[in-house]
Amino acid sequence: MATPNLNNLSINDDGEDEGFCFDLEEDSSEAADLKLCLIGRFLCDKLVHVISMKSRMADIWRSVKGVATKEAANGLFLFQFEHKLDMEAALNGGPWTYDNHLMILERVKLGVQIENIPLYHVDFWVQVHHLPAGLMLEKVGRTMANYIGSFVEYDKNNNSSFWRQYIRIRVKIDVRKPLKQNTKVKNRGGEWCVVNFKYEKLSIFCYVCGILGHTEQRCEVRFDMAEDDGVRGWSNDIRAETRRNNSSSSKWLRQEQPVNRGNMQKSGAESARGGEALGKESGIFQKGIIA
């Protein structure tokens, strides 16, 4: 009878078997496939229609090389991409929603059970409004981002115009915590002024507790109230308006050419003479209708 290989067996001091410990082979084909996978869940308390969600997310991402989706566990979905660029686009292009429910995405971690991968953070673009003139700076944006959550990125492209209404920062937000609405900064005159935060592509959140993923109808804080007085600490004021391109031009729109009145009169006279000649040839014009 063959003797089992016990090289990887760990034994504790009491002589009881603890289990096996293996070295990760990061150059294996399985590891290579997992490096192109994202694990995700939706921030909602209801079942997700899997088939519809698969089709919808594929349409949104438009992955050049394609993506395969599988329900790996109850409420957890595995997204396997065929190319790294497609995966990075899905990971960094969010936040994404399905049926207005926020999706939380993370990379699959080698050597970690997917059920144990923490799925609590989402990157949002946040606009900081009403900053005093002269404070629309990257260092100010970093400070604001770390107050809201954790700094990820500063949008330098938003600096292109001479007059800006806000600075734009990408922030990693913990979905278990209330959304920050505002803070105070001191202006040059020594006075405190309020700056407001507006979140782009914001999904469902609660007006009572300020937490993402549910509405006030299902808020535990509201249910714990002795009596609901109707006062709400949050509103849609933290929802950023959809950013639109203000340009009215289009590459498909041809510009109108300036009219040359002289040429137009000449062209009209030539057309009349051509029509008179045609009428004489065909006999359809009577004398006196065209001089």
Side-chain angles (χ1 to χ4, degrees):
M1 183 176 180
T3 302
N5 185 358
L6 301 180
N7 291 336
N8 293 320
L9 181 63
S10 175
I11 309 293
N12 65 16
D13 296 335
D14 298 330
E16 297 180 356
D17 295 352
E18 286 187 346
F20 294 91
C21 180
F22 297 98
D23 294 329
L24 293 174
E25 299 180 3
E26 296 193 14
D27 58 346
S28 66
S29 59
E30 182 180 4
D33 290 340
L34 288 174
K35 287 180 179 179
L36 292 176
C37 289
L38 299 177
I39 188 72
R41 72 179 178 95
F42 291 93
L43 200 60
C44 62
D45 55 1
K46 67 178 184 179
L47 294 177
V48 173
H49 192 280
V50 180
I51 297 177
S52 177
M53 183 274 295
K54 287 181 180 182
S55 177
R56 177 60 179 160
M57 297 314 301
D59 288 342
I60 292 174
W61 286 335
R62 297 182 181 181
S63 302
V64 176
K65 297 296 183 180
V67 58
T69 304
K70 181 179 181 181
E71 188 171 14
N74 187 26
L76 291 177
F77 300 94
L78 196 65
F79 302 95
Q80 184 178 28
F81 295 84
E82 296 296 326
H83 199 282
K84 180 181 178 180
L85 292 178
D86 286 333
M87 184 191 73
E88 295 289 345
L91 186 62
N92 300 324
W96 308 108
T97 58
Y98 168 72
D99 197 20
N100 207 23
H101 297 297
L102 184 67
M103 171 188 278
I104 304 176
L105 280 177
E106 291 286 352
R107 299 177 190 272
V108 171
K109 296 177 174 60
L110 297 180
V112 179
Q113 294 169 308
I114 60 172
E115 295 89 347
N116 294 331
I117 297 175
L119 295 171
Y120 300 114
H121 296 86
V122 179
D123 292 353
F124 276 91
W125 280 108
V126 183
Q127 302 171 4
V128 184
H129 288 253
H130 304 131
L131 276 168
L135 287 184
M136 291 197 178
L137 305 170
E138 182 172 351
K139 65 179 182 180
V140 176
R142 285 177 176 269
T143 302
M144 294 292 103
N146 289 324
Y147 171 73
I148 298 168
S150 300
F151 174 79
V152 177
E153 184 182 353
Y154 176 79
D155 184 9
K156 295 182 179 179
N157 293 328
N158 195 49
N159 296 354
S160 58
S161 62
F162 172 73
W163 177 253
R164 289 176 290 151
Q165 293 181 324
Y166 54 83
I167 60 175
R168 193 166 176 259
I169 48 179
R170 193 160 177 82
V171 186
K172 186 175 291 295
I173 292 174
D174 190 332
V175 299
R176 297 167 294 182
K177 297 180 179 180
L179 294 169
K180 296 290 180 64
Q181 302 182 81
N182 51 54
T183 190
K184 294 180 180 179
V185 299
K186 188 175 288 187
N187 62 21
R188 177 165 289 186
E191 299 173 337
W192 290 103
C193 58
V194 177
V195 296
N196 303 102
F197 307 132
K198 294 183 179 290
Y199 299 78
E200 297 181 7
K201 299 170 69 174
L202 188 61
S203 56
I204 290 174
F205 73 98
C206 180
Y207 296 156
V208 175
C209 67
I211 294 178
L212 291 158
H214 67 267
T215 62
E216 60 183 59
Q217 282 74 22
R218 304 189 65 84
C219 179
E220 293 184 6
V221 173
R222 179 170 170 263
F223 275 83
D224 289 339
M225 293 178 179
E227 184 177 351
D228 186 358
D229 59 5
V231 176
R232 299 294 181 257
W234 283 260
S235 70
N236 270 331
D237 289 342
I238 66 171
R239 194 183 299 274
E241 295 181 0
T242 304
R243 303 176 81 221
R244 295 182 176 88
N245 183 4
N246 293 326
S247 174
S248 60
S249 62
S250 169
K251 67 177 182 178
W252 307 111
L253 180 63
R254 293 186 178 183
Q255 296 297 323
E256 295 182 4
Q257 299 298 321
V259 177
N260 188 318
R261 300 263 177 205
N263 288 342
M264 184 175 65
Q265 292 173 355
K266 180 180 178 182
S267 176
E270 290 177 349
S271 297
R273 288 195 295 271
E276 182 182 1
L278 178 63
K280 290 180 179 179
E281 291 180 359
S282 60
I284 60 175
F285 289 109
Q286 296 180 1
K287 185 178 179 180
I289 297 179
I290 297 183

